[in-house]
Amino acid sequence: MILSLEEINLVGDKKAEVYLHRTRDRRFIVSIPDIHWSAEFKEIDKISTQTEHLKNSLNYHLFEGDTDKLASSILELVKKYA
């Protein structure tokens, strides 16, 4: 089990803490408390599937920044622990 706390750029110079949890059954749970958002996905999912899932979830939660950039940044963090 891996738990990580990292900082990520949200919009412009605004940074937020990102909590990344990898479970024993190879799922990732990512949360950004500053925007009241979290998502879960399987490690074996394709990157394109993960990216779309993250972007859709961010849009659903009315994130007003660049969802493409934020989803890519989150996946870069995930790759460090995959």
Side-chain angles (χ1 to χ4, degrees), residues 11-61:
V11 179
D13 292 336
K14 184 175 180 182
K15 294 186 181 281
E17 293 178 332
V18 176
Y19 294 86
L20 178 64
H21 183 85
R22 182 176 167 206
T23 65
R24 289 189 178 123
D25 62 350
R26 304 179 73 82
R27 292 177 297 125
F28 281 100
I29 302 167
V30 181
S31 66
I32 305 175
D34 285 355
I35 60 173
H36 309 284
W37 175 85
S38 65
E40 175 186 353
F41 52 91
K42 293 180 182 159
E43 181 179 12
I44 59 172
D45 289 344
K46 293 181 182 177
I47 293 295
S48 60
T49 302
Q50 292 173 351
T51 303
E52 285 305 310
H53 173 71
L54 293 175
K55 288 189 324 188
N56 289 338
S57 178
L58 288 163
N59 285 327
Y60 178 79
H61 283 83

